[in-house]
Amino acid sequence: MNTKINYNRRNFLQHSALGLTALGVLPKLALAKTSSLKSKPTAGFNADVEIEITSRDAYMPIKSGRKTKVQKYYAKVLKGPKNTVVELEDNYLGPTLNYKQGQKVRIYYKNRLSESSVIHWHGLHVPQHSDGHPMYAINGGETLVYEFEVLNRAGTSFYHSHSHEKTATQVYKGLAGIITVTDDEEQNLDLPRGEYDLPLVLQDRNLDSQNQLQYIHGMHGKMMGFLGETILVNGKPNAEFSVKSRAYRFRAVNGSNSRIYKLGWDDGTPMVAIGTDGNLLDTPQTRPYIMLAPGERVDLWLDFSGRSVGDELTLSSLDYQGAMPPNGGMGMMSSSGLKQGEKFTIARFKVTKKVNQSPALPKELAKIKRLTNRDVDNKNKAIPIAISMKPMRPQLNGYSYEMDRVEDFEQVKLGSIKKIKIFHDHGKMAKGKKGMMGGGMGGMMLSMAHPIHLHGQQFQVVSRKIEGMRQEEYETVKEGFIDTGWKDTVLVMPGEEITIIKPFQDFKGLFLYHCHNLEHEDLGMMRQFYIS
Ligand code: C2O
Ligand code: CU
Ligand code: CU
């Protein structure tokens, strides 16, 4: 079994017709067509927008004092609207990329790191050659050309490095940023814009006394995932926002490797969401708190109207249970003092100006067609995504990632709409044989929450079921899931079974699905669909 990427092998996949005979179940011709590295623009693709993105080592201020050594994305607009790229000043995060539905986008990605990398546009529905599949990772000094049309509707997405077995460390060091997409439907709504429409990128880091990033060492820490003690909002600790007494849109993105946030106001004011993952919701959703797992986004409607100058509100991640294995996974401890599920402050909001005008929360946002069993062609035979954790090896469907393999159930016909069941499979088997998973009680003890992300087109969550002994813990999170909109990442709590419906339209090729706990992803908790 070949779980380590071998770059000769990668080139083999991309360029060699001979190599294709060794591809196992991957349909040979199709792979040859879809997998060539794009290092030059396509002549017939007339881009409306062209940008250049560079990744390189840099020193940026995170805390006051010494600068932090990071890996950073820089970007500039070569063609098209100037606000396509907006820098977050003095920030280790990549600039915000702002697109409009229908735009044709060409991106020249120049890797200037001393290691290989590739960018994935998490949330955008783009062709395989522009999705940042790890087989397209380029070495330092090389350039990769992305070309796609923005098919997405209005919403918030997230771009980040997706280099095989280096995603966790590269994202940790700074290779991430946010993407916004707008469309006419959104433009016709009276939503907060400009200075009232702000990012809220949530990350946790550990910085040493010299302000340098510390990562986890060792396998135990990786199995639990990285948990840092310093909470960064938009790349900075101790976040404070001065706000006016009116409504704001905050685009919350969980850009952490493993930390799951339970977003809530300290004073008990409910949270209001107007969008999830890539899209506006059909109607705003009000919840006591909102769960946000790595890779997920939620567009928040934070309304300070009616507040007085001097009022201060605290947004926290509230206490919850159940995301980690009982007893910390038989003695496995996280690398940090700030545990998963422990309460902490995210940001303070100070009302500094009274204004009389504020947009009202719209009753209806975007039109969403709800997918049901009638839309799928596999009503009684859902595609499985079985989560299992062998000691030291989190897996999907009983396999670790292999770049050149897809199983039968991972092959999907272009244009089809599929039902997919995501569930925990500790102690059972994914390959049809009992006892093969090294599960049993041991498996149960390792059971933890996993944010499962599927590349390509977004899906809808149609049902959630919880079974087994973790019910009480589930009570502390269950009101925080927003399943009424489109999603590309879904948090699966221990004991939970989630059914989703996902269309596989527009593009053929290889599209990943994986755990967005980035340590798990890099440990091989990733597979791919082959759409043909
Ligand atoms: Cu945000 Cu495949 O990842
Ligand atoms: Cu993605
Ligand atoms: Cu996981």
Side-chain angles (χ1 to χ4, degrees), residues 120 122 158 160 162 295 453 455 512 514 516 521 526:
H120 166 56
H122 177 141
F158 172 46
H160 61 80
H162 216 306
H453 169 53
H455 285 216
L512 299 165
H514 59 88
H516 220 285
E521 175 183 335
M526 177 156 82

Side-chain angles (χ1 to χ4, degrees), residues 107-265:
I107 297 164
Y108 296 89
Y109 169 46
K110 301 190 166 178
N111 183 12
R112 296 295 177 264
L113 300 167
S114 55
E115 56 186 19
S116 67
S117 199
V118 66
I119 309 176
H120 166 56
W121 323 102
H122 177 141
L124 297 190
H125 178 40
V126 297
Q128 179 203 274
H129 60 68
S130 291
D131 189 46
H133 189 287
M135 76 168 131
Y136 298 112
I138 52 170
N139 296 317
E142 293 180 332
T143 298
L144 181 64
V145 179
Y146 293 85
E147 289 168 340
F148 56 86
E149 182 180 334
V150 180
L151 299 179
N152 285 62
R153 294 165 68 184
T156 305
S157 285
F158 172 46
Y159 67 100
H160 61 80
S161 142
H162 216 306
S163 198
H164 190 51
E165 292 174 346
K166 294 194 205 92
T167 298
T169 50
Q170 292 189 348
V171 170
Y172 186 71
K173 289 176 188 166
L175 294 184
I178 84 166
I179 300 173
T180 75
V181 175
T182 189
D183 61 9
D184 293 341
E185 192 180 34
E186 182 189 61
Q187 291 299 325
N188 288 330
L189 292 166
D190 186 17
L191 295 177
R193 285 182 223 290
E195 61 175 304
Y196 309 112
D197 175 356
L198 298 169
L200 195 78
V201 180
L202 307 178
Q203 294 175 309
D204 55 339
R205 297 291 183 262
N206 281 334
L207 294 157
D208 66 13
S209 58
Q210 301 299 305
N211 282 354
Q212 299 311 302
L213 288 165
Q214 297 294 298
Y215 189 61
I216 24 175
H217 315 283
M219 192 49 101
H220 288 339
K222 285 193 183 160
M223 281 300 278
M224 297 299 106
F226 173 84
L227 294 170
E229 294 180 299
T230 301
I231 303 301
L232 304 181
V233 174
N234 301 332
K236 307 281 181 187
N238 308 315
E240 265 186 32
F241 293 93
S242 302
V243 294
K244 296 179 188 168
S245 61
R246 55 160 285 150
Y248 282 74
R249 175 180 187 172
F250 274 90
R251 299 169 186 260
V253 176
N254 186 344
S256 308
N257 284 26
S258 301
R259 188 174 291 283
I260 301 163
Y261 299 74
K262 177 178 174 178
L263 304 174
W265 291 112

Side-chain angles (χ1 to χ4, degrees), residues 47-51 77 79-81 84 99 103-107:
D48 307 303
V49 177
E50 282 192 336
I51 56 183
V77 181
K79 180 184 175 186
T84 306
Y99 298 133
Q103 275 176 336
K104 287 189 164 175
V105 178
R106 178 180 288 127
I107 297 164

